[in-house]
Structure formats: structure tokens, C-alpha cells
Amino acid sequence: MSTLVRSRAVYCGSFDPLTLGHLDIIRRGARLFEKLTVGVGTNPDKKTLFEPERRVELTRSTVAELPNVDVRSFRGLTVDFARSVDAGVLLRGVRSLSDTETEFTMSLANSVLDPDLESVFLMASEKYSHISSTLIKQIAFMSGDGATDKLAAFLPDSVIEPLLQQVRRDRS
Ligand code: ADP
């Protein structure tokens, strides 16, 4: 049985795609913990725009400058993924009241599944609290001219062109 390390955290999600809101949580998490592992969920039942490998690739290239952050894909329960990398903390971002409710329920379930793991929540920064991957995909699908500029307010530069290319592929 592995020993959990409190200074090590996982931050898990679909990251379909990674947004400036996610990146903000990752940057802040990297300052709080000695090591932060970003877990890209690969749930075959959840329909995503990007394949899991691509979501890992885009996330990895975006956080490459953060030395104590690594990115891995995972399948199954977050608590098991955290254990597999010896992390003692599940880091989450919270945007709204409705997020809070969902996150509260999830953290209770996770604490039943693995009482040794602690969930830590960071409030979304004001300037990113309206950003969700779902909303950004809608904007990308509906944007015509100037889509790159429009998306720059929501996405890291490294994600904008790959998203627009994927949208074009999906349309054709
Ligand atoms: P999921 O598919 O599990 O909902 P997401 O990729 O949407 O995963 O989000 C992963 C985590 O990041 C969640 O804790 C979510 O609340 C948080 N998050 C998403 N968008 C933002 C944002 N704009 N600001 C802060 N946290 C966010």
C-alpha cells in the first residue's frame, strides 16, 4: 500500500479542452503543493470533442513551463488515480453556487471511498469564473470570422488553433 503525501495533489477533469480557468487553478495549485499531477479523465461513456490522447497532449504542452506539474491520463475513480501517484489531496476549482453543491456531494462521496484523501477547493478567479469548456466549444462552433481573437479571452494560446481545427473536422 502506498503512503499518501499531503504535499502532493491531483487536479482531475475532462479538460475538453483546457481553458484559462483550468490553467489558473493549475498555476495556483502548483504554488500550494510541491507536486501537482493533472489527471485527464478518459471516460469512454462521456462524449468529448477531443480524443483523450489529444487532451493530454494539449494540456501537457500548455503547462510545460511549470516544473512541478505533470499530466497523465486516467480511467476510473479519481480516488484510485490519486492513490496511484501517492497524492493525498484532490484539488478542485469552484466557480458558482451550483458548482459548490456538486463539488460538496462529490467530496463527500470521495471521502467515503477513501477517507485518507482530503479535497481542497480553490475559488475561481473573478476573471475566469464564467469560463467552462462547454461554453467555449459553443462559441468555437458558432464563431465565424475572427474566431481566434474571440477565443483568446477564454483559452490558452496553445489551445485555440487545435480547437478551431477540431471544430472544422467535426463539421465536415
Ligand atoms: P469535469 O468534466 O469533471 O466537470 P472539467 O474539466 O470541466 O471537469 O473541470 C475540472 C475541474 O476544474 C473542476 O473542479 C471544475 O470545477 C474546475 N473548473 C472548470 N472551469 C473552471 C474555471 N473557469 N475556473 C475555476 N475552476 C474551473
Side-chain angles (χ1 to χ4, degrees):
M1 181 112 171
S2 59
T3 328
L4 293 178
V5 185
R6 282 286 167 233
S7 58
R8 207 174 273 189
V10 292
Y11 174 53
C12 296
S14 309
F15 307 112
D16 185 45
L18 183 86
T19 68
L20 286 176
H22 295 132
L23 184 58
D24 182 58
I25 298 292
I26 294 172
R27 287 213 169 100
R28 290 162 61 197
R31 286 200 296 263
L32 285 174
F33 299 98
E34 274 170 30
K35 178 143 187 236
L36 178 66
T37 300
V38 179
V40 179
T42 57
N43 177 356
D45 297 329
K46 194 165 173 180
K47 198 182 161 352
T48 53
L49 180 65
F50 287 102
E51 293 297 321
E53 302 73 35
R54 191 68 177 127
R55 285 183 275 129
V56 169
E57 220 170 72
L58 289 173
T59 304
R60 198 170 272 154
S61 63
T62 309
V63 303
E65 92 267 15
L66 299 169
N68 60 336
V69 175
D70 69 344
V71 180
R72 299 186 189 199
S73 67
F74 78 99
R75 205 174 252 249
L77 295 173
T78 308
V79 290
D80 293 335
F81 174 64
R83 281 259 170 204
S84 75
V85 295
D86 300 332
V89 173
L90 306 174
L91 178 67
R92 304 288 295 172
V94 181
R95 284 163 292 191
S96 57
L97 264 186
S98 65
D99 260 5
T100 315
E101 216 170 310
T102 321
E103 293 289 341
F104 183 57
T105 314
M106 209 190 306
S107 81
L108 287 178
N110 283 333
S111 66
V112 172
L113 289 168
D114 191 334
D116 291 336
L117 283 169
E118 202 61 70
S119 293
V120 169
F121 302 94
L122 290 181
M123 293 303 295
S125 303
E126 200 186 354
K127 57 182 173 177
Y128 302 128
S129 62
H130 56 290
I131 301 179
S132 72
S133 297
T134 307
L135 174 76
I136 300 336
K137 281 181 278 191
Q138 282 170 0
I139 295 174
F141 272 99
M142 290 188 292
S143 292
D145 292 344
T148 304
D149 289 344
K150 287 177 190 135
L151 290 172
F154 308 108
L155 294 175
D157 287 348
S158 50
V159 175
I160 298 175
E161 278 316 309
L163 174 59
L164 291 173
Q165 278 168 17
Q166 187 61 41
V167 163
R168 283 194 284 271
R169 272 199 291 274
D170 247 52
R171 277 208 192 105
S172 61

